[in-house]
Amino acid sequence: MAAARALIVVDVQPDFLPGGSLPVGEGDAIIPGVWELMESNAFPVKVATQDWHPPEHASFASNHDGAEPLETIRLHGHDQILWPDHCVQGTPGAELYPQLPWTRVDAVIRKGTDPRVDSYSGFRNNWGPGGDRPPTGLAGYLRERDVEEVVICGLARDFCVQWTAEDAVEAGFRTTLVWDLTRSVDPSGDDELRSALEEQGVRIVEKAELTP
Ligand SMILES: [Zn+2]
């Protein structure tokens, strides 16, 4: 089997879209382009990630006495931003965005399911109580499907997309990020983020530059 290219759609869920509990500005602007990539035959393998937290999740400010959303605390020896409750398992905000063609996706990786540790990346959790970043199994899944290149889009650019792209490089995949099919929680850091990702070996393109 020839080396394959995989599409990874990160966390396109109602809670991260306008009207959700942790909305990413203009998050809905990426939907038509993401739809097109999901429908495209250019990707023999398509996977999605889904933020999927139990209500007692450690990343929720509501689970820390006196804490406010967007405060930073130390968790297992690393900085952890506290978020509003979001993507709680089984709630409408945690669904895969209903208007996208999910039947085209081969596998969905649910992440952030361990109440003790956050998981921005589709490949590995953030640092847990053991001091390591346990893998989700995505790298192994892609390797078994002969994937050598991943093309990443979704939300949010400066958290889950960034960490997924960095870990994809680290795991040895050629990694492309479709810049206009992502949006940031804090767009003021976008220039810096773009340079940092490019330095780490992530190829950044606009959707129009993607070769079929
Ligand atoms: Zn989350």
Side-chain angles (χ1 to χ4, degrees):
M1 194 170 135
R5 177 160 79 152
L7 176 69
I8 304 179
V9 179
V10 175
D11 293 9
V12 184
Q13 297 168 255
D15 270 348
F16 295 127
L17 292 162
S21 63
L22 178 43
V24 179
E26 295 180 2
D28 51 340
I30 74 169
I31 298 294
V34 171
W35 189 93
E36 276 180 45
L37 294 191
M38 289 174 76
E39 286 288 354
S40 160
N41 293 321
F43 304 96
V45 177
K46 292 169 186 157
V47 301
T49 66
Q50 184 175 23
D51 216 28
W52 190 251
H53 298 309
E56 70 275 23
H57 197 252
S59 78
F60 295 171
S62 62
N63 289 322
H64 299 266
D65 281 341
E68 295 290 332
L70 304 185
E71 251 177 54
T72 298
I73 63 162
R74 295 291 280 180
L75 186 66
H76 312 305
H78 294 268
D79 282 351
Q80 168 72 45
I81 300 178
L82 295 178
W83 302 106
D85 292 17
H86 64 277
C87 299
V88 175
Q89 295 170 359
T91 64
E95 286 172 12
L96 297 169
Y97 184 64
Q99 273 133 63
L100 285 171
W102 299 105
T103 53
R104 304 292 302 245
V105 163
D106 305 293
V108 177
I109 300 290
R110 285 179 163 165
K111 62 188 183 61
T113 56
D114 182 339
R116 303 166 302 171
V117 53
D118 213 353
S119 188
Y120 293 149
S121 166
F123 288 93
R124 316 177 77 88
N125 289 351
N126 300 9
W127 295 274
D132 59 346
R133 296 188 53 213
T136 62
L138 178 56
Y141 176 85
L142 294 174
R143 282 195 198 106
E144 286 200 348
R145 305 290 302 269
D146 290 313
V147 169
E148 289 189 354
E149 181 187 3
V150 296
V151 175
I152 302 171
C153 61
L155 299 169
R157 182 188 280 156
D158 49 348
F159 287 94
C160 295
V161 169
Q162 174 191 351
W163 286 52
T164 298
E166 290 172 346
D167 284 345
V169 171
E170 182 76 29
F173 297 101
R174 277 205 314 281
T175 303
T176 297
L177 194 163
V178 191
W179 191 254
D180 54 338
L181 296 186
T182 64
R183 287 296 185 278
S184 289
V185 171
D186 178 12
S188 73
D190 275 351
D191 288 348
E192 208 177 318
L193 173 62
R194 189 180 177 115
S195 315
L197 285 169
E198 282 176 334
E199 253 168 53
Q200 289 172 81
V202 177
R203 185 171 75 109
I204 294 182
V205 300
E206 301 291 313
K207 175 173 172 290
E209 298 170 61
L210 268 185
T211 47

